[in-house]
Structures are given as structure tokens and as C-alpha cells.
């Protein structure tokens, strides 16, 4: 591996649930990963976008379909030879009328593009964290409903199936981290630190297997 694209939504961008701004590079998982992998001569490209989905249009914000923007990332000719991809949380919003299976199918479509450019052995698919039980309440994010929480919990199983079918590596973020109490949706500083360590260890394993 020489250059890894970390592609995802607000939890990849580094949204701080308290300040509602972006965590600094030293806090967000992508930034921490970038610092550590520099020692291995591996570069990290951070490509997170708030509201990004797999294949769903956003009702109020254009340009959020991951399938379009990941194609654009490769069109930039950045010599990307590895990808870490984590999407699906925003797909759970009520207006998408989605299921865990339909979201996984959207991720599968995104992987169609990824695997045109990157070998499966260099792709790490992450299922996202679960939404908090109260995320749909008035004080949090009413774009979600109670059913959105259950859909988010089903993503691990469906994403793992996709990973096996595609022959890519897999991790479930929800096995290691949970959403913050502040907004029931985004990682806090501790969550970013834990996730960075988990992904770093997996990438080192992947890179060793490629040697």
C-alpha cells in the first residue's frame, strides 16, 4: 500500500457532536491514522462529507451520493491503491424508506467502482456505528425515526455478506465504538481514538498479507 483513501460521511469527516464543528486532525480517526501510517510510508487521503449516503439522494442537500463522489475521487488520479470505506448512517434517514438490505446493496454498488481501481485485498469495508436509541427525538435528529435505529443495527450482518462476496476485508465499527450521548449519532473524541487504533491494526495486517 502507498496511498489509502478514507471515504465516508460525517463520522469520517470528524464532526464534533459538542461544538458542531470539525475535530482537529489530531483527534479525528482519519487524522490520527494519517499520522501513524506516515511512519510506514503510507499516505492517507481524507474524504469525509457530512450527509453522504451510498446511493440515496439527500432531500435538501445535493451532491451527497457516495457512488458519485467516489467515482470523482478516482478521477482525480491520486494513485489510490487502497480504500477504507464507511457509509450507511445517513441512508437510515426516514425519507429514504430504506432497509439494511437495500443500504448494503447501495454499498455493493459503490464497491463496483472501488474494485475497478483497487484490488480487493486492499479494500477495508466498515459497517457504521449504531444510531443511538433516542436519535429520532426532538432534541437530536428528527430526520431519523425509531425504525432507523433498528435499520442501523442490521447493517453489520448485511455488510459482512457483501464483504465476503467481494473478497474484501471487513470490520464493524459498532463492535468497538458507540455514538456520543450528546447527539446519539456521531463519535466523540474517545470513539475516534478507539476507531483509529482498530483501523490502523487492520491496515497493518492487510499490508503484511500483501507483502
Amino acid at each position: 500500500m502507498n496511498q489509502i483513501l478514507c471515504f465516508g460521511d460525517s463520522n469520517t469527516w470528524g464532526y464534533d457532536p459538542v461544538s458542531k464543528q470539525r475535530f482537529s486532525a489530531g483527534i479525528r480517526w482519519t487524522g490520527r491514522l494519517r499520522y501513524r501510517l506516515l511512519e510506514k510510508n503510507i499516505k492517507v487521503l481524507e474524504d469525509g462529507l457530512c450527509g453522504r449516503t451510498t446511493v440515496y439522494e439527500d432531500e435538501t442537500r445535493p451532491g451527497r451520493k457516495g457512488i458519485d463522489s467516489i467515482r470523482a475521487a478516482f478521477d482525480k488520479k491520486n494513485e489510490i491503491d487502497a480504500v477504507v470505506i464507511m457509509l450507511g448512517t445517513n441512508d437510515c434517514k426516514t425519507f429514504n424508506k430504506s432497509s439494511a438490505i437495500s443500504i448494503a446493496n447501495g454499498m455493493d454498488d459503490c464497491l463496483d467502482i472501488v474494485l475497478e481501481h483497487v484490488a480487493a485485498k486492499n479494500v477495508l469495508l466498515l459497517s457504521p456505528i449504531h444510531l443511538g436509541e433516542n436519535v429520532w427525538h426532538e432534541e437530536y435528529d428528527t430526520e431519523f425515526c425509531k425504525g432507523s435505529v433498528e435499520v442501523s443495527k442490521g447493517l453489520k450482518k448485511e455488510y459482512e455478506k457483501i464483504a465476503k462476496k467481494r473478497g474484501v476485508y471487513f470490520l464493524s465499527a459498532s463492535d468497538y465504538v458507540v455514538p456520543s450521548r450528546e447527539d446519539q449519532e456521531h463519535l466523540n473524541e474517545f470513539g475516534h481514538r478507539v476507531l483509529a487504533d482498530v483501523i490502523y491494526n487492520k491496515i497493518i495486517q492487510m499490508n503484511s498479507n500483501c507483502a
Side-chain angles (χ1 to χ4, degrees), residues 15 17 20 133-144 181-185:
Y15 183 92
K20 305 187 188 313
E133 295 294 336
N134 298 315
V135 67
W136 51 281
H137 288 189
E138 185 73 30
E139 63 269 33
Y140 299 118
D141 192 340
T142 55
E143 288 189 298
F144 296 103
R181 287 178 296 177
E182 286 79 10
D183 76 353
Q184 303 277 303
E185 185 177 352

Side-chain angles (χ1 to χ4, degrees), residues 5 16 26 49 56 64 71 81 89 94-96 149 151 154-155 180 190:
L5 173 67
D16 179 352
L49 178 65
Y56 293 93
R64 294 310 197 271
R71 183 179 285 111
D81 63 354
T89 297
T94 309
F95 55 72
N96 289 323
V149 180
V151 171
L155 292 178
S180 66
F190 176 76

Side-chain angles (χ1 to χ4, degrees), residues 9-77:
D9 53 29
S10 51
N11 274 317
T12 297
W13 184 74
Y15 183 92
D16 179 352
V18 176
S19 71
K20 305 187 188 313
Q21 302 298 315
R22 192 184 193 189
F23 278 126
S24 68
I27 294 177
R28 62 183 183 263
W29 71 261
T30 49
R32 296 175 68 90
L33 189 67
R34 177 160 54 89
Y35 291 145
R36 294 184 70 180
L37 287 177
L38 275 177
E39 299 175 358
K40 306 291 185 181
N41 294 315
I42 300 173
K43 295 180 181 178
V44 170
L45 297 176
E46 301 180 56
D47 192 340
L49 178 65
C50 296
R52 182 178 277 159
T53 65
T54 58
V55 297
Y56 293 93
E57 294 282 7
D58 189 289
E59 282 193 335
T60 58
R61 294 177 293 180
R64 294 310 197 271
K65 288 172 65 175
I67 195 168
D68 293 337
S69 46
I70 200 162
R71 183 179 285 111
F74 286 111
D75 286 345
K76 293 176 183 177
K77 302 187 185 303

